[in-house]
Amino acid sequence: MKAWEKNIRKVVPYTPGEQPKERDVIKLNTNENPYPPSPKVLKAKLELERLRLYPDDKAKILVDALADYHNINADQLFVGVGSDDVLAMSFMTFFNSEKPIFFPDITYSFYDVWADLFKIPYRTKTLNDRFEIVAKDYYEANGGIIFPNPNAPTGLAVDLSFIKDILEHNQDVVVIVDEAYIDFGGMSALSLIHQYENLLIVRTYSKSRSLAGLRIGYAMGNSDLIKVLNDVKYSFNSYTLNYPSIVLAAESIKDDAYFKKTVEKVIHTREWFEKELTRLGFTYPKSSANFVFASHKTVPARKIFEAAKKEKIFVRFFDKPRIDNYLRISIGTDEDMKKLTEFLEKMVMM
Amino acid sequence: MKAWEKNIRKVVPYTPGEQPKERDVIKLNTNENPYPPSPKVLKAKLELERLRLYPDDKAKILVDALADYHNINADQLFVGVGSDDVLAMSFMTFFNSEKPIFFPDITYSFYDVWADLFKIPYRTKTLNDRFEIVAKDYYEANGGIIFPNPNAPTGLAVDLSFIKDILEHNQDVVVIVDEAYIDFGGMSALSLIHQYENLLIVRTYSKSRSLAGLRIGYAMGNSDLIKVLNDVKYSFNSYTLNYPSIVLAAESIKDDAYFKKTVEKVIHTREWFEKELTRLGFTYPKSSANFVFASHKTVPARKIFEAAKKEKIFVRFFDKPRIDNYLRISIGTDEDMKKLTEFLEKMVMM
């Protein structure tokens, strides 16, 4: 070991889904939207002169557009570099207790990475046999709660009464609902922020909004929560969002008809694909997201994953207990899913 | 206090320089470049289809362009959301000792904010009466060292023998040299990374490169240092740089002639402005940056600062011990500086 290595923070980093460099692949491994954003996004005019100046640290045009869209006040909104940045800042800000935070054992695999990075004690709560989150597991004293709705990689959503129940039992910690996939079929808990000041809702531009390339995420909650989150953000980096992203992200909010149309197309394709999966002998929890979490009765997930990759079809495989016979398959275009279905048909016939 | 507030991280955030919304101001308060970047930057073509996908987490085209430019390997380079992001990640990664880190008492005002945020013990070392960093103050056992070269807000640079001396006395901690302003007259310590594996050099696109609006910063050092920095980055946010910024930032490296010309113009204007300041009775340390740190023999800095603001001329005033009779004045265009000089002439005649 080198001398300076004694003093560094050692971590096991999160491994993002593979990003193949070739373009002729069917990419169903990172839950991106198969449809590009509205062409209006790139019509936004960028000024050379503005590039030399620091961007607006408050990203006012974006915050105002989102506040207007969600019918909340600008001071109830926090923006960051993708929901990962928003969530990392939220972990650092809100999960500062000596009691462990709680989250599901099968969930977004970044939560334990952030907890380790910031030295936050945590305990995972086991999903039941149907992969459902069990509310009463979260009644015990804790330092904070986070779960996605719908959950990932399972795709299962909870309803508002479930979230209210969690909140009623946890009034003295911050409860974060990660709504990365909410637009594909879940019921948002956004309306509850007016009633529960300890509730934070996190959203992303990377899934339903077709703008993973821009790195935009945001949080909504009581203005007191947003204020302390901003204090930590300003202690880390005053200018997290850059000028081109702010302009393009604000522009994208304007074309709501296009947004709704592409989300509906994804849902329609998912419903078709779920039927095909059933026909081929796969089981899966009913998805409310832009992916399906599927397992075959006889063919191992790892085998399908590896064979698919050879055919340049990328899906996600998690080599983890309980889920190592499942594949998380993003919903692509109809064409993508037809090709995948033909491939799966061959796999299960062998 | 609300119940959930018991468990949050409380910080005193960094206050960025004022960003006036009007465009008809003379803005000399945040050390931006008065000249826009090369027009070629906005010629870079953005593809709608790429926006729906996650950006390249390795920002390969940008890292390769920078590695080529600086004649180092890609694995000796780390990129982030402005040098603030790079520095915040570096504090988190490298300053993890129980011994205090050292930095000057008068320096970039974000250092103590990051130390507080990450609960890093620190001790500031007092600059001498000429505002110089004193090498032997850094010989004592410590958890790491950071200083800017040239220092901010003083503008004073140190030479390579000074940096070698610091490194020779500090072999078991990471030494960070923040070269945000190096292109305006300092001597870079970049060549020393081959000799000292514990040396990290940090640069920004926000000053000499006229691209504060893009939020790009980078670090250069031994590949082992860069690897652990990337491990922490991947534990925080896998995709920090967005697709438009990566493309535009890579493009900007290509027009080196334009870059050198604008940097020389800033230096030329600074030299003229320093003579004017002397003529008007100001004193200042000899600047190697794109700003001058000036004090008048009779007129208080605060008075000048406030009067200037009324005339829509923004400069930076720090209400802190030892420097509260100084103004940090960014170098603008010749026209900006002539208007400022006329204003200062009136102020000192009163």
Side-chain angles (χ1 to χ4, degrees):
Chain A
M1 189 165 79
K2 288 158 181 170
W4 55 265
E5 286 187 349
K6 289 190 307 283
N7 299 324
I8 64 167
R9 191 180 292 244
K10 285 205 185 66
V11 289
V12 180
Y14 173 81
T15 311
E18 269 182 286
Q19 299 290 15
K21 286 282 175 298
E22 316 95 287
R23 291 197 172 197
D24 64 335
V25 301
I26 298 181
K27 193 169 176 311
L28 306 173
N29 66 333
T30 50
N31 296 343
E32 287 143 331
N33 200 308
Y35 306 107
S38 163
K40 288 182 186 158
V41 169
L42 278 185
K43 297 269 158 56
K45 192 83 193 136
L46 297 177
E47 294 170 50
L48 194 70
E49 173 63 26
R50 284 301 311 271
L51 282 168
R52 73 173 181 87
L53 300 171
Y54 281 92
D56 174 14
D57 58 302
K58 297 190 174 58
K60 188 174 172 7
I61 63 163
L62 175 58
V63 166
D64 286 351
L66 286 169
D68 192 49
Y69 185 82
H70 289 298
N71 200 21
I72 58 175
N73 297 329
D75 66 1
Q76 294 175 298
L77 227 143
F78 172 87
V79 289
V81 181
S83 61
D84 285 346
D85 181 48
V86 174
L87 288 166
M89 293 285 169
S90 299
F91 270 61
M92 217 193 311
T93 308
F94 299 122
F95 296 161
N96 217 30
S97 164
E98 281 167 19
K99 289 184 201 134
I101 62 165
F102 292 167
F103 50 81
D105 64 333
I106 298 169
T107 194
Y108 186 30
S109 38
F110 232 128
Y111 297 161
D112 57 354
V113 175
W114 286 315
D116 286 335
L117 179 66
F118 301 128
K119 299 167 185 170
I120 299 164
Y122 67 93
R123 206 179 309 152
T124 59
K125 296 292 180 174
T126 312
L127 297 183
N128 71 17
D129 289 346
R130 291 185 304 277
F131 286 148
E132 291 161 341
I133 304 175
V134 180
K136 69 173 172 42
D137 291 346
Y138 297 79
Y139 293 175
E140 214 183 325
N142 61 67
I145 290 172
I146 181 163
F147 58 89
N149 184 36
N151 195 9
T154 65
L156 274 175
V158 294
D159 59 23
L160 284 196
S161 64
F162 177 96
I163 293 171
K164 270 190 181 176
D165 182 32
I166 297 272
L167 285 160
E168 288 296 334
H169 284 87
N170 292 281
Q171 286 290 290
D172 61 347
V173 294
V174 174
V175 175
I176 302 178
V177 181
D178 180 352
E179 293 191 342
Y181 299 102
I182 198 72
D183 293 319
F184 298 108
M187 170 72 93
S188 174
L190 178 57
S191 62
L192 299 180
I193 66 168
H194 305 291
Q195 194 177 342
Y196 299 95
E197 64 175 29
N198 60 325
L199 170 64
L200 192 78
I201 305 286
V202 177
R203 295 278 184 95
T204 179
Y205 262 59
S206 302
K207 312 299 179 185
S208 57
R209 299 220 163 259
S210 301
L211 284 164
L214 278 194
R215 311 303 297 127
I216 304 280
Y218 56 102
M220 297 177 283
N222 185 283
S223 58
D224 290 338
L225 276 188
I226 298 300
K227 190 201 164 296
V228 289
L229 194 51
N230 264 314
D231 283 351
V232 166
K233 178 243 167 169
Y234 278 97
S235 301
F236 190 94
N237 190 352
S238 313
Y239 305 97
T240 48
L241 263 54
N242 60 89
Y243 162 65
S245 286
I246 292 171
V247 172
L248 272 56
E251 195 65 32
S252 88
I253 295 293
K254 294 181 191 165
D255 198 350
D256 200 43
Y258 179 94
F259 165 73
K260 291 210 168 94
K261 196 178 72 188
T262 51
V263 167
E264 268 158 36
K265 274 165 84 172
V266 170
I267 293 172
H268 188 264
T269 305
R270 181 186 71 210
E271 284 167 357
W272 172 85
F273 181 61
E274 284 184 332
K275 281 183 204 136
E276 289 293 291
L277 285 175
T278 304
R279 180 175 69 80
L280 297 172
F282 285 88
T283 55
Y284 48 86
K286 179 82 195 93
S287 172
S288 295
N290 70 336
F291 56 83
V292 181
F293 196 53
S295 180
H296 194 261
K297 55 187 177 184
T298 55
V299 192
R302 186 193 296 270
K303 191 177 161 188
I304 302 174
F305 168 72
E306 282 165 2
K309 206 164 158 179
K310 281 183 193 142
E311 300 290 314
K312 295 193 177 179
I313 302 174
F314 288 74
V315 296
R316 193 86 190 256
F317 170 70
F318 300 92
D319 197 0
K320 288 183 178 176
R322 294 185 76 193
I323 57 170
D324 60 1
N325 201 27
Y326 281 81
L327 296 171
R328 193 196 65 189
I329 305 167
S330 308
I331 301 301
T333 59
D334 286 338
E335 197 192 339
D336 291 340
M337 302 321 278
K338 270 176 198 144
K339 281 187 188 155
L340 171 63
T341 304
E342 283 161 25
F343 163 81
L344 292 175
E345 192 140 24
K346 271 183 259 166
M347 283 298 292
V348 303
M349 303 276 264
M350 287 199 299
Chain B
M1 191 166 79
K2 287 157 182 171
W4 55 265
E5 286 188 348
K6 290 191 308 283
N7 298 325
I8 64 167
R9 191 179 291 245
K10 286 206 187 64
V11 289
V12 180
Y14 172 82
T15 311
E18 270 180 286
Q19 298 291 14
K21 286 283 175 295
E22 316 95 285
R23 291 199 171 196
D24 63 334
V25 302
I26 298 180
K27 193 169 175 312
L28 306 172
N29 66 333
T30 51
N31 296 343
E32 287 142 331
N33 200 308
Y35 305 108
S38 163
K40 287 182 185 157
V41 170
L42 278 186
K43 297 269 159 56
K45 192 83 193 136
L46 298 177
E47 294 170 50
L48 194 69
E49 175 62 26
R50 285 300 311 270
L51 283 168
R52 73 173 181 87
L53 300 171
Y54 280 92
D56 174 14
D57 58 302
K58 298 191 172 59
K60 188 174 173 3
I61 63 163
L62 174 58
V63 167
D64 286 351
L66 286 168
D68 192 50
Y69 185 83
H70 288 298
N71 199 21
I72 57 175
N73 297 328
D75 66 1
Q76 295 175 297
L77 228 142
F78 173 87
V79 289
V81 181
S83 60
D84 286 346
D85 182 47
V86 174
L87 288 166
M89 292 285 169
S90 299
F91 269 61
M92 218 194 311
T93 308
F94 299 122
F95 296 161
N96 218 30
S97 164
E98 281 167 21
K99 291 185 199 131
I101 62 166
F102 292 167
F103 50 83
D105 64 334
I106 298 170
T107 194
Y108 186 29
S109 37
F110 231 128
Y111 297 161
D112 57 354
V113 174
W114 286 316
D116 286 335
L117 179 66
F118 301 128
K119 299 166 185 171
I120 299 165
Y122 67 93
R123 207 180 308 152
T124 60
K125 297 291 181 176
T126 312
L127 297 184
N128 72 15
D129 289 346
R130 291 185 305 277
F131 286 149
E132 291 162 342
I133 304 175
V134 180
K136 70 173 169 44
D137 290 348
Y138 297 79
Y139 291 175
E140 213 183 326
N142 61 68
I145 289 172
I146 180 162
F147 58 88
N149 183 37
N151 195 9
T154 65
L156 274 174
V158 295
D159 59 23
L160 283 196
S161 64
F162 177 96
I163 292 171
K164 269 190 181 177
D165 183 33
I166 297 271
L167 285 160
E168 287 297 334
H169 284 87
N170 291 279
Q171 287 291 289
D172 61 348
V173 295
V174 175
V175 175
I176 303 178
V177 182
D178 179 352
E179 294 192 341
Y181 300 102
I182 197 74
D183 293 319
F184 298 107
M187 169 73 92
S188 174
L190 178 58
S191 62
L192 299 180
I193 67 169
H194 306 292
Q195 195 177 341
Y196 298 95
E197 64 175 30
N198 59 327
L199 170 63
L200 192 77
I201 305 286
V202 177
R203 295 277 184 96
T204 179
Y205 262 59
S206 303
K207 313 299 180 187
S208 57
R209 298 219 165 260
S210 302
L211 284 164
L214 276 194
R215 310 304 297 128
I216 304 280
Y218 56 103
M220 297 177 284
N222 184 284
S223 59
D224 290 338
L225 276 188
I226 299 300
K227 190 202 164 296
V228 289
L229 194 49
N230 264 314
D231 283 351
V232 166
K233 178 243 167 171
Y234 278 96
S235 302
F236 190 94
N237 190 353
S238 313
Y239 305 97
T240 48
L241 263 55
N242 59 89
Y243 162 65
S245 286
I246 292 171
V247 173
L248 272 56
E251 195 65 34
S252 88
I253 295 293
K254 294 181 191 165
D255 198 350
D256 201 42
Y258 179 94
F259 165 72
K260 292 211 167 91
K261 195 178 72 186
T262 51
V263 167
E264 268 158 36
K265 273 165 85 171
V266 170
I267 294 172
H268 188 263
T269 306
R270 180 186 71 210
E271 285 167 357
W272 173 84
F273 181 62
E274 284 184 332
K275 280 183 204 137
E276 289 294 289
L277 284 175
T278 304
R279 180 175 70 80
L280 297 173
F282 284 88
T283 56
Y284 49 86
K286 179 81 195 94
S287 173
S288 294
N290 70 335
F291 55 84
V292 181
F293 196 53
S295 181
H296 194 261
K297 56 185 176 184
T298 54
V299 192
R302 185 193 297 269
K303 191 178 162 187
I304 301 174
F305 168 70
E306 282 165 2
K309 207 163 158 180
K310 282 183 193 141
E311 301 289 315
K312 294 192 177 180
I313 301 173
F314 287 75
V315 297
R316 194 86 191 256
F317 170 70
F318 299 92
D319 197 0
K320 287 182 179 177
R322 293 184 77 194
I323 58 170
D324 59 1
N325 201 26
Y326 281 82
L327 295 172
R328 194 195 66 189
I329 304 167
S330 308
I331 301 299
T333 60
D334 287 338
E335 198 192 339
D336 291 340
M337 302 322 278
K338 269 175 200 146
K339 280 187 189 154
L340 172 63
T341 304
E342 283 162 25
F343 163 80
L344 292 175
E345 192 140 25
K346 271 184 259 166
M347 283 299 290
V348 303
M349 301 277 262
M350 287 201 300

